[in-house]
Amino acid sequence: MILKRFRWFLLLALLVPALLAVPARADAVTDSIGVYIGYFGWTEDQYVEKASYTWQQLDDAYGGALDTHEAVYSYYNGSRTYLARGRGFYLRDLLEYAGVDLGSIASIDFFTKDQTVGAYRSFTKGALFDTQRYYFPNLAVNEDTGALYAYDGSGDLWSGASAVEPMLALEDYTEWDAVGSEFEKTADPSLYSTASRFHLFFGQSAPDEIGTSSAAKYVYKILITFAGTPVLSQTETNLELKVGSDHTLAVSVVAEDDLLNDYVKSHITWKSSDESVVKVDGSGRLTVVGPGDAVVTASFGSSSAATNVHVGADETAETTAGTGTGTGNGTGTGAGMGAGTGTVTGTGTETAAPASSSAGETAASSSAQEPIGKDETSSADETKRGVYLLAPSALSGSAQAGQTGGEAMGEGSRQLVLQTPETRSYALPAAICLCLAAALGFLFGVIRYKKQR
């Protein structure tokens, strides 16, 4: 019984480490790689995916788009050498194939599956592409001191050095504490493994450059950071608008890539300096609220563009009434059943009637002396003039009525008399018709009487 329990314990002891190790390695192997683009100051999730490929789409041995190469790379970590031989595609070719402008790159970050937070390794464009990098086959290390020396005894660490390009290996073989010239003899392609795909190799800029740990395994994402920042500009920098109107602003974006143009446009922040004058929504649409001046700003990160908006006062037509006082003599006459004249000397007040009143409304509401005057006032010495409408009833009653109508008129005023329409009499024609009808009836009766007899 004890032996049986011990056997199960031993089996579990062997399986647990294996179960813990296998998933980690399986998960680390990458089958695809993505290229993302952005600018300094952006967070990782703001970078825009430029392209993504499976390894088969890139490996020319399987009909992929990129030429693959075989090369040997040397490294030094300060006390040991590290040699690698790999088959893969040049990083430069991958970025150009993805449509990235190499001349605009500021830095490159490599993300690996065995690094859970942030980039595993970052390079400036100058360090990775603009600095010539080499493979040094003559490097050897003193096991006791860790110091470098020339393996061939010449004392020249640069002996046999050859230029190399940064590569992402699809398959590779690596070895510690090896000398390049000897490593090349044993590192046969039959030893290649895809377990570290995609494996970054970039060589050394000098024999004593320390960078072994930067040879990143399991690369699955590359962030390309461009120099500078997107440039925003408004097509309209000054606007004159009216209250109650609306208008949509258009912003142009100049970035290093069309995808970045679209991303920036969709993430622009709009702001009005005075929302009592004009409001703006997330798409740049303006709503004019009231008169005044405001600045509408479109911004993204450290870039911005502004438009000055002026809103004038609401201009509406206004009808005003004016009053005036004048002194003068006025005379009024009227014709009708009676006639009268009147003369008066004194002062009077004229009140302007709204210009919009119709003639019919004025006539219907006028009293015997209702004035309609102008809404203008000239100097204090100018004689005020008016037009007076006199209803026939004010003139037809008696001479006193005509005199009363004339007393309200100022000097220089004019009199308009509204005549009563003539009333036609139809009594005489009706009487004639009746007489003719009676005569015809009588004549018809006489004739009928005679025929009966």
Side-chain angles (χ1 to χ4, degrees):
M1 179 66 95
I2 296 176
L3 182 60
K4 188 176 181 180
R5 290 182 178 179
F6 179 80
R7 187 173 57 185
W8 281 109
F9 177 82
L10 182 61
L11 181 60
L12 289 173
L14 292 173
L15 286 176
V16 169
L19 291 173
L20 292 175
V22 170
R25 177 146 189 171
D27 182 64
V29 176
T30 54
D31 292 327
S32 62
I33 188 167
V35 178
Y36 296 75
I37 54 178
Y39 284 94
F40 276 118
W42 289 22
T43 60
E44 182 184 340
D45 60 350
Q46 286 182 299
Y47 278 70
V48 179
E49 182 178 327
K50 179 65 175 175
S52 182
Y53 308 103
T54 64
W55 68 268
Q56 294 95 334
Q57 291 175 308
L58 301 174
D59 190 348
D60 60 353
Y62 292 85
L66 300 182
D67 293 335
T68 56
H69 310 270
E70 288 193 55
V72 180
Y73 297 83
S74 60
Y75 297 93
Y76 173 59
N77 73 348
S79 62
R80 301 173 68 187
T81 56
Y82 179 75
L83 277 295
R85 179 170 180 165
R87 185 185 72 87
F89 48 84
Y90 293 147
L91 179 61
R92 188 189 304 269
D93 292 344
L94 171 65
L95 298 182
E96 289 180 345
Y97 180 64
V100 176
D101 180 12
L102 298 181
S104 301
I105 295 175
S107 64
I108 306 174
D109 298 302
F110 295 90
F111 288 73
T112 63
K113 285 196 172 182
D114 61 344
Q115 176 82 10
T116 57
V117 179
Y120 178 83
R121 184 66 168 90
S122 299
F123 294 87
T124 64
K125 171 181 174 286
L128 196 59
F129 288 128
D130 299 337
T131 300
Q132 184 60 65
R133 310 195 75 82
Y134 301 91
Y135 157 57
F136 296 99
N138 201 31
L139 292 186
V141 173
N142 185 305
E143 295 182 1
D144 296 328
T145 64
L148 288 172
Y149 68 93
Y151 181 73
D152 62 2
S154 65
D156 183 9
L157 296 176
W158 285 81
S159 177
S162 60
V164 293
E165 274 279 328
M167 171 192 284
L168 283 171
L170 295 162
E171 51 186 355
D172 62 84
Y173 172 74
T174 62
E175 189 175 321
W176 283 95
D177 304 317
V179 175
S181 57
E182 298 298 322
F183 175 77
E184 292 180 49
K185 298 175 183 178
T186 59
D188 188 271
S190 62
L191 300 175
Y192 284 163
S193 170
T194 59
S196 298
R197 188 179 58 218
F198 296 90
H199 198 163
L200 174 64
F201 296 132
F202 50 88
Q204 297 171 273
S205 61
D208 58 351
E209 180 188 51
I210 299 174
T212 305
S213 61
S214 297
K217 299 178 181 180
Y218 322 122
V219 176
Y220 72 95
K221 180 165 67 174
I222 302 173
L223 294 193
I224 303 297
T225 301
F226 291 117
T229 187
V231 178
L232 307 185
S233 60
Q234 292 274 21
T235 56
E236 299 169 293
T237 56
N238 293 283
L239 284 176
E240 296 276 345
L241 300 176
K242 295 181 179 181
V243 175
S245 65
D246 55 45
H247 185 83
T248 300
L249 292 175
V251 176
S252 61
V253 178
V254 178
E256 297 298 335
D257 192 278
D258 290 341
L259 290 175
L260 295 179
N261 289 349
D262 297 338
Y263 178 83
V264 171
K265 283 183 179 180
S266 64
H267 290 79
I268 286 176
T269 300
W270 292 90
K271 183 178 180 181
S272 171
S273 64
D274 190 344
E275 292 195 343
S276 66
V277 176
V278 63
K279 293 182 178 180
V280 61
D281 64 13
S283 62
R285 183 173 179 270
L286 306 179
T287 300
V288 182
V289 180
D293 295 285
V295 178
V296 177
T297 304
S299 61
F300 179 89
S302 60
S303 301
S304 63
T307 297
N308 299 312
V309 179
H310 174 73
V311 181
D314 188 19
E315 297 180 359
T316 58
E318 296 182 359
T319 302
T320 57
T323 59
T325 302
T327 302
N329 296 322
T331 302
T333 62
M337 294 179 64
T341 62
T343 301
V344 63
T345 301
T347 62
T349 301
E350 300 168 5
T351 302
S356 62
S357 299
S358 65
E361 292 172 346
T362 303
S365 61
S366 298
S367 61
Q369 59 272 40
E370 180 178 357
I372 298 179
K374 299 179 181 179
D375 61 351
E376 302 174 356
T377 303
S378 54
S379 65
D381 297 333
E382 182 179 0
T383 304
K384 306 298 185 292
R385 299 183 179 185
V387 177
Y388 292 81
L389 303 181
L390 301 182
S393 61
L395 304 176
S396 60
S398 64
Q400 180 62 36
Q403 177 178 342
T404 302
E407 289 177 350
M409 297 173 59
E411 183 178 358
S413 299
R414 299 194 179 190
Q415 171 182 297
L416 299 180
V417 178
L418 301 180
Q419 299 290 346
T420 302
E422 296 182 1
T423 302
R424 295 186 179 184
S425 176
Y426 297 96
L428 180 60
I432 293 174
C433 290
L434 289 173
C435 290
L436 288 174
L440 290 172
F442 177 77
L443 181 61
F444 178 76
V446 171
I447 293 172
R448 184 177 181 182
Y449 175 78
K450 287 181 177 184
K451 285 182 176 182
Q452 289 178 349
R453 292 196 54 183

